[in-house]
Amino acid sequence: MRKGKDYILFNVIGYIFITIIGLFTFIPFVMLVVSSFTSENYIINHGYTLIPKEFSLSAYKLIFQNPQRIFRAYLVTIVVTSVGTSLSLFLSTMAAYVMYRKDVRYRNALAFFLYFTTLFNGGLAPYYIILANYYHLKNNVLVLILVPLFNVFYILILRNFIRGSIPDSLIESAKIDGAGDFTVFLRIVLPLSKPALASIGLFIALNYWNDWWTPMMFIEKQSLYPLQYTLYLILSSVNVAANILQNVVRIDMPKESLKLAMTVVATGPIIFLYPFVQRYFVRGITLGAVKG
Amino acid sequence: MICSITTKEWQKLKKNGFWYEIKKNKVLYAMFLPVAIYYILFAYIPMGGIVLAFKEFNYRDGILFSPWNGFKNFEYFFASGRAWLVTKNTILYNLAFLAAYTVFSVACAIFIAELAGKIFKKFIQSVMFLPYFVSWVVVAAMMYNFFNYDYGLINTLIKNIGGEPIDIYSNPTYWYFLLPMLYVWKWVGYGSVLYLAAIMGFDEECYEAAIIDGANIFQRIFYITIPMLKPTMIILILLALGRILRGEFDMFYQIIGNNGLLLDYTDIIDTLVFRSLMQVQDIGMASAAGAYQSVLCFVIIMLVNWLVRRYDKDYALF
């Protein structure tokens, strides 16, 4: 392609714009990590900086000195995330497959049955009272799995993905060979939907990992606090932070860097998932389009 | 119920009957069952709970048997003077979010699509996606890191060059600008991927023909890319308009919390409902505000969809 003046000008503007956006999204993360390794004294005297001056591990030491609560929170989060994500992904894809099958006459009615829940709901108050008082889900670990379990849009995206990437003839020939509907789903649809499963799975896992709302609403027992909620409690009050760290109230507690170190600890693992699923991202999100 | 019918009776049933269809695809319908049961329990039954807005709730009688009190809850909600305030805040903030988000996502997508330098683009896209991965709890920690009055980076910089530090947590006007910025920061990576994918799907020939006709890159963007992005933009904006009354509770709650100084400027319906339910324990007010939100939201979706159908059927949501 010829590279005229317009092309050069466009690239200059584009690079400047994109770089600024990139810096804006990246710098807060750098700051977070750097500050968590900076000594408390330095922060109090000089404020947060981007370049580390006085390196210190004291915040992390404090967290891992009495790690029971943190490990407990990790355990809750990991169990809830893994159980919830696999359950949600399997059942969502199964429902998507049913709505994709052209021989299911009520498939559109089923889709509307799901879609309607996004148009209208009873509001927070009935939801809370029904879950807490009628289903007795308060202080029950199940609530952490059940509340974020399904997302209508993910189910519809999965359906559109299956529709767009798996030919009907494949299903028909499998049925002629004697496979039942469930076997077709398990042996053909599920393996062929890997790109969509990877990206939707990541979205679901993120929802679980980052969920602080459900525990705030429904969990009062400390042993069931997941990571993000623990983090929220620490951030909202340093005294709570001391409490959570097994009552090690110390005068020289690094309050500021402690908060940030805790944030890093709570964020770390899920970000490492990203590179593994990134290549599926664009395909997974968009093949499903957005239309119900 | 189905099993009690004999085969002969089955044959008598019309081929297009309801039970015939269910029986024919019973495995498939059974496979849909888990999701169906979930939505009945966690969406449709709570939907019925909207009657709570017309009741004086007490825990002993529950939702079904608590006494009716007509429109008292609503009267109270509207008389509190907050109804109009939170409605206005919710709608205006969400419109600002939507506008900023769409402009930045489309701009990023176009630049990423047309710029030279593959590795740089891949890298920057990954970076832009980072905020998508963290919770608002973490964002709140970062905000603190940035804007804290005593130690925050911005104020450290201002102090270093001899300026007067700013305290955003007691100064409401900053938030009109900050919150949309924060929203863009969090979602621009995701938005740009959506639009980028749409651009990737465009027909190359259009562009080639335009190049032969002598169109420069700006003309190609304004006369080909942007018009062709219109359907995607309309669909995404429509979906967002449907949620215009349910705006980003996570963000408002985590970033602002219950800061009394900011509340009048940043209170939205969701935060009001949450406060009345969990902190003030005012279930009447919470149900009335929630019902008001749901009904208004439903009306807006229907209205928007109806308008779009009149304009162009293909763009409508349903």
Side-chain angles (χ1 to χ4, degrees), chain A residues 192-222:
Chain A
L192 285 177
S193 309
K194 268 187 200 140
L197 294 183
S199 47
I200 300 294
L202 177 74
F203 291 153
I204 299 172
L206 273 179
N207 288 346
Y208 276 111
W209 190 276
N210 286 337
D211 185 20
W212 54 273
W213 185 86
T214 316
M216 183 172 70
M217 296 290 287
F218 296 105
I219 303 287
E220 279 160 1
K221 245 200 273 175
Q222 205 167 37

Side-chain angles (χ1 to χ4, degrees), chain B residues 60-77:
Chain B
R60 194 169 32 85
D61 297 327
I63 292 177
L64 279 180
F65 303 106
S66 284
W68 296 94
N69 72 351
F71 285 90
K72 280 244 177 63
N73 292 332
F74 289 95
E75 277 164 29
Y76 182 54
F77 169 53

Side-chain angles (χ1 to χ4, degrees), chain A residues 6 15 24 31 46 48 103 105-106 113 121 133-135 146-147 210 228 256 274 278 281 286 290-291, chain B residues 16 21 25 38 41 44 59 63 116 120 126 129 133 135 144-145 151 156 185 197 216-217 235 294 314:
Chain A
D6 60 302
Y15 271 105
F24 257 101
M31 270 199 63
H46 303 276
Y48 294 117
D103 46 342
R105 193 176 353 128
Y106 299 116
F113 168 78
N121 68 51
N133 294 3
Y134 290 81
Y135 302 162
L146 286 174
V147 168
N210 286 337
Q228 297 290 329
E256 301 304 325
Y274 178 43
Q278 193 190 8
F281 242 58
T286 46
V290 272
K291 207 166 170 179
Chain B
N16 54 7
E21 162 72 14
N25 285 322
Y38 177 87
L41 287 178
Y44 282 94
Y59 282 97
I63 292 177
F120 175 78
S126 309
F129 236 111
F133 279 77
S135 69
Y144 178 82
N145 212 335
Y151 320 119
T156 307
W185 182 83
N216 69 31
I217 194 161
I235 295 263
S294 289
D314 288 338

